[in-house]
Amino acid sequence: MFKTYEEALAWIHTRRGMGPKPGIRRMEWMMEKLNHPQQKFKSIHIAGTNGKGSTVAYLTALFQAHDYSVGSFTSPHIMKFNERISVNGQPIADEDILALANRIQPLYDEIAQTELGGLTEFEVITSMMFLYFSEVQPDVVLLEVGLGGLFDSTNVVTPNLSLITTIGLDHIKILGNTIEAIAFQKAGIIKKGVPVVLGNIGPAAKSVLLDIANQQHSEVAEYHVDFHAQSKPSVDVFHERFDYQTDDCLIEDITISLMGQHQVDNATTALHAFRVFCRQNEFTYDKESIKLGFERAFWPVRMEVVSHSPLTILDGAHNEPAMEALVNALETHFPNRRLHILYASLTTKELDKIGEWLNKLPQASIHLTTFDFDQVASIEELKKGLGIEAVGEHENWQEAIQTISKAVDEQDIFLITGSLYFLSEVRHFLLEK
């Protein structure tokens, strides 16, 4: 038995070396032992290469604006582990983590003695989450896939709605090195007869998704086909404004504080999923509350402005599609402004592709750094992988931030980007300051 939250958390993190171990047989065993908690609440299952976290944030805000309680399961966390399991945007309490860990730990010991072997860290957390929401019973639970879909530990659930945000090349050593292979993995969350909403997805990936949805007799709603967004001039450079439209609905002048066309795409997809879920489950909604929900929606380290003097932006552009979206957003919102970029990443990323996008920023001085984490890339690995001649190389990222901040003119932008794990540490550091 763990006596403190810290002991429980330390045990959970020791499972990190156990994974990833693709497959859901261990989770099926756990759900049987726990009396199938994943079946005891309404849910939306969310997969995608990028945009999952932002989509969860938009959906959370939309449900809350209509006074529905909403649970969410996301990863990784940015400020504190407990964020991964939240209700109405509030992380669960330390004592709940402790109690859940004490209930899961004996089952961990039991399954470790079977041919299935021990659970991974993510499987432990997922089991805790299902158990927690089965007892708390929010009106809806938003389940973010950890990796892929088909073999992800969340995929023991049969949701009320499936949502796939985007599909790009990421985690290719696990999911496959083609768009079609990755789409097949994401499509694993499409369940028999369960409706599916598709976000901004290219033709090759969409073809795979539609084939599988057809096989599963699942009704599909597609962005740019069944629902649309029309971007409009915004009130200021730090917001996006758009209209949402379907054959039977028009909502004008929706404003969001997350910047970039990709965020308009995510918000539009979230809104359509919200409407499908509400119709399906007889939840009421209205246009004014929808607009209010979007105004309140927030997700950290997605073009997040943490200082205006100098203008400092945090963005977890941890793979090529995310870096492409970031570069496009910078060119749209801050044209002709000089960029000072601090970048750190893991070795698991396709650094050459990320480097190509960084090189498209004409007025950028790029600084490379590293941080303390598993599989982190050294500065030499970053230079070689990105194919970039860095202006600065910094072994200590905290000192790098202080040095670069002093060198940034008032008209310039300081962008800190790369691994979400890196951005989590940076955000802690800056907010504590």
Side-chain angles (χ1 to χ4, degrees), residues 56 60 70-74 80-93 129 132-133 136 138 140-142 299:
V56 167
T60 298
V70 52
S72 60
F73 180 58
T74 57
K80 186 177 180 180
F81 174 84
N82 304 38
E83 294 165 24
R84 293 174 177 232
I85 304 171
S86 295
V87 176
N88 296 331
Q90 295 301 309
I92 71 170
M129 174 273 297
Y132 181 74
F133 287 137
V136 173
V140 58
V141 175
L142 310 174
W299 196 239

Side-chain angles (χ1 to χ4, degrees), residues 39-44 138-142 159-160 277 281 283:
Q39 298 175 359
K40 296 177 181 175
F41 48 80
K42 296 181 188 297
S43 64
I44 301 175
D139 294 318
V140 58
V141 175
L142 310 174
N160 298 79
F277 181 91
N281 294 282
F283 283 28

Side-chain angles (χ1 to χ4, degrees), residues 412-424:
D412 297 350
I413 296 171
F414 184 17
L415 170 67
I416 307 174
T417 186
S419 164
L420 283 168
Y421 296 102
F422 173 55
L423 270 293
S424 170

Side-chain angles (χ1 to χ4, degrees), residues 64 136 151 164 333 340 344-345 353 360:
Q64 278 193 268
V136 173
F151 298 123
I164 301 174
H333 284 261
H340 302 258
S345 177
K353 301 292 186 185
K360 290 183 180 181

Side-chain angles (χ1 to χ4, degrees), residues 103-123:
R103 292 170 69 180
I104 296 298
Q105 197 265 341
L107 292 173
Y108 174 89
D109 289 344
E110 187 178 338
I111 195 172
Q113 300 304 312
T114 72
E115 62 176 15
L116 296 172
L119 302 175
T120 67
E121 178 186 36
F122 194 70
E123 287 168 339

Side-chain angles (χ1 to χ4, degrees), residues 303-323:
M303 285 199 77
E304 179 186 3
V305 176
V306 290
S307 171
H308 284 273
S309 183
L311 181 57
T312 304
I313 297 174
L314 308 183
D315 192 274
H318 60 290
N319 54 32
E320 185 204 355
M323 186 58 73

Side-chain angles (χ1 to χ4, degrees), residues 216-233:
Q216 296 284 42
H217 305 290
S218 295
E219 186 178 331
V220 180
E222 303 173 51
Y223 187 32
H224 302 309
V225 177
D226 303 294
F227 58 99
H228 308 268
Q230 179 62 53
S231 292
K232 304 171 82 168

Side-chain angles (χ1 to χ4, degrees), residues 341-343 365-370 378-384 388-397 399-401 403-404:
I341 300 172
L342 181 63
Y343 181 85
S365 63
I366 298 172
H367 299 254
L368 303 178
T369 191
T370 188
S378 68
I379 291 172
E380 283 304 312
E381 286 170 324
L382 289 178
K383 284 167 64 178
K384 183 178 177 183
I388 282 174
E389 275 301 315
V391 170
E393 301 172 17
H394 311 265
E395 288 294 340
N396 184 304
W397 62 263
E399 290 178 5
I401 288 173
T403 301
I404 299 165

